Amino acid sequence: MKPHSGTTVINVSSRPMEKSGKQIVMSGIRPTGILHLGNYFGALKNYLRMQDEYECYFMIADLHSLTTHPDTNELRKNVLHVISEYLACGLDPEKVALYCQSSIYQTSELYFYLNTLAYKGELEKTTTFKDKARLQPQNINAALLTYPVLMTADILLHRALYVPVGKDQEQHLEMARNFAARFNHRYAEVFPEPVAFNFGQELVKVPSLDGTGKMSKSENQNATLYLSDSDELIRKKIMKAKTDEGPKAPGTPKPDYIENLFQLVRLTGAEDVYNKFEADYSNCNIRYGDMKKQLAEEMIRFMAPIREKAEAIRNDEKYLAEVLEKGAFKARRSAEATMQLVRQSIGIKYF
Ligand code: TRP
């Protein structure tokens, strides 16, 4: 289908409000749980690298959380919690736009247009929809069904090309590409087709402490280290991690749960400690109790400063409000520039 007659030809390469000339990165996180070590190494560390090289929009998806968490008692607290941890980890609100989804009114507008391009059948086939529908059969609301459409609006509002996300979001991103292509085809070439991006590397997976899977927001909280865990709690969780008697013969491969402990030591950056226990393992004289004690102390050395900084920031509500207002300002400016193109290409501009 050709763009309908009367469509203005739009020069998409001109982004009126964008001065940086950098590629655009956009990502979001739902404020439905508190951040853990997996979020830090899997996402945040990449964000930190991106903030200098790209024009970045990092968003807290508070609207998305309403699709699964209609009770909003904790919402504001959770949003401020996540923001304070982002800041404590080193995201710089001067460099990036750090904002809440609900602050950008243009999101709902683009969401509507994209909804006209999204089909019931494909939405119903989305894995996350099927999972969530199973989990909350009494609340299969329309926004749950159109979750990927809202996510697409978040991304396309900034005409972002790069979206740093994990594998679990790959299907949503593929849908975003489809919706972008459909819009471009029907109206005018407004949107790039966004792709997942993590500096061409596999994302770092942070193994959970119980030897199964990776650290996650909701599964086994005792096997996940949260950025806000106290020193005592970090020690307790690590000391509970599964081990065994140790290797009996040189050359014995490490079982997964032991490999995971080594991986965690490596993530703390304590190379000497890593090498020592590696050698002990090879010599079959490793003492896992000692290793876990040492791992706990290294982990605390790494995590405590982030926790303390986040606490200080969390107590400064005025500063947090300033950060969110500044982020909203930047994001709205970028969104409005895109929406002018969108309205113009659809042909609904009356004055
Ligand atoms: N759906 C994402 C998640 O559950 C969060 C999200 C919302 C997002 N909007 C986004 C991620 C835009 C990337 C880009 O984790």
Side-chain angles (χ1 to χ4, degrees):
M1 191 167 69
K2 279 234 154 66
H4 59 74
S5 57
T7 301
T8 327
V9 176
I10 290 163
N11 177 5
V12 183
S13 59
S14 72
R15 288 178 46 93
M17 308 310 283
E18 180 211 339
K19 295 186 202 73
S20 68
K22 294 175 179 167
Q23 291 283 15
I24 304 183
V25 164
M26 193 277 148
S27 195
I29 185 170
R30 274 171 305 145
T32 46
I34 55 179
L35 297 183
H36 51 76
L37 216 55
N39 296 126
Y40 179 83
F41 285 106
L44 269 165
K45 264 194 99 172
N46 271 332
Y47 291 3
L48 296 181
R49 266 184 79 184
M50 289 172 191
Q51 63 181 349
D52 291 311
E53 293 172 43
Y54 298 92
E55 180 177 320
C56 296
Y57 296 88
F58 294 129
M59 183 194 83
I60 311 291
D62 53 351
L63 298 180
H64 271 119
S65 75
L66 295 178
T67 63
T68 49
H69 292 66
D71 181 351
T72 52
N73 279 336
E74 301 277 289
L75 181 61
R76 183 169 185 279
K77 196 179 108 222
N78 290 345
V79 167
L80 297 183
H81 192 106
V82 173
I83 290 281
S84 62
E85 286 179 340
Y86 268 17
L87 294 167
C89 290
L91 273 190
D92 182 348
E94 300 297 324
K95 291 182 187 164
V96 306
L98 198 54
Y99 61 100
C100 274
Q101 191 177 30
S102 59
S103 309
I104 314 303
Y105 315 119
Q106 290 88 350
T107 309
S108 309
E109 187 185 356
L110 184 54
Y111 174 53
F112 174 79
Y113 295 133
L114 295 172
N115 269 324
T116 67
L117 299 163
Y119 298 103
K120 179 171 165 273
E122 62 187 335
L123 294 169
E124 280 171 343
K125 272 194 292 187
T126 316
T127 311
T128 49
F129 173 71
K130 290 195 286 192
D131 289 348
K132 288 172 187 167
R134 214 172 300 126
L135 283 173
Q136 51 183 69
Q138 76 301 348
N139 182 20
I140 306 178
N141 59 77
L144 193 64
L145 183 66
T146 53
Y147 185 111
V149 187
L150 183 56
M151 177 162 157
T152 304
D154 298 331
I155 299 166
L156 298 188
L157 262 186
H158 305 296
R159 279 171 282 157
L161 181 59
Y162 294 135
V163 185
V165 283
K167 274 220 160 38
D168 62 324
Q169 297 298 311
E170 196 38 76
Q171 191 182 26
H172 291 157
L173 211 47
E174 191 186 329
M175 295 171 85
R177 286 192 286 277
N178 286 335
F179 300 147
R182 283 178 210 163
F183 184 98
N184 291 344
H185 187 71
R186 185 172 298 177
Y187 299 113
E189 283 283 331
V190 172
F191 300 116
E193 290 178 28
V195 291
F197 170 66
N198 294 295
F199 290 109
Q201 298 157 359
E202 273 288 295
L203 282 182
V204 178
K205 288 203 180 65
V206 180
S208 105
L209 289 166
D210 59 8
T212 61
K214 46 183 191 150
M215 288 196 185
S216 88
K217 273 184 190 171
S218 41
E219 280 155 46
N220 196 354
Q221 310 215 335
N222 279 323
T224 295
L225 297 173
Y226 296 96
L227 296 185
S228 53
D229 282 352
S230 68
D231 292 355
E232 230 10 80
L233 196 52
I234 295 172
R235 269 190 207 105
K236 214 168 106 192
K237 288 180 179 177
I238 291 179
M239 292 315 287
K240 277 205 194 129
K242 177 176 174 180
T243 56
D244 54 29
E245 316 261 78
K248 297 274 180 287
T252 310
K254 296 190 191 100
D256 283 352
Y257 49 92
I258 297 298
E259 187 61 54
N260 290 351
L261 290 181
F262 274 91
Q263 161 78 348
L264 288 169
V265 174
R266 177 177 282 151
L267 288 175
T268 66
E271 215 174 307
D272 47 334
V273 179
Y274 182 88
N275 292 337
K276 176 199 177 311
F277 286 105
E278 189 66 56
D280 287 354
Y281 187 90
S282 305
N283 300 331
C284 299
N285 61 2
I286 190 159
R287 295 160 62 124
Y288 287 132
D290 291 349
M291 180 177 173
K292 288 199 281 187
K293 259 189 214 143
Q294 183 98 40
L295 168 59
E297 294 319 304
E298 298 301 338
M299 202 49 99
I300 288 167
R301 201 169 49 81
F302 175 77
M303 291 175 68
I306 298 177
R307 180 187 68 225
E308 284 158 16
K309 203 160 167 203
E311 271 165 16
I313 295 172
R314 204 170 306 135
N315 290 330
D316 192 348
E317 286 220 3
K318 186 162 163 282
Y319 172 67
L320 283 174
E322 277 166 21
V323 166
L324 287 174
E325 191 176 1
K326 189 187 202 96
F329 180 82
K330 289 191 210 172
R332 279 185 204 142
R333 196 174 55 179
S334 153
E336 186 51 32
T338 300
M339 287 316 293
Q340 285 181 15
L341 295 178
V342 167
R343 294 175 204 125
Q344 200 183 340
S345 58
I346 297 176
I348 42 173
K349 195 170 180 302
Y350 302 109
F351 45 84

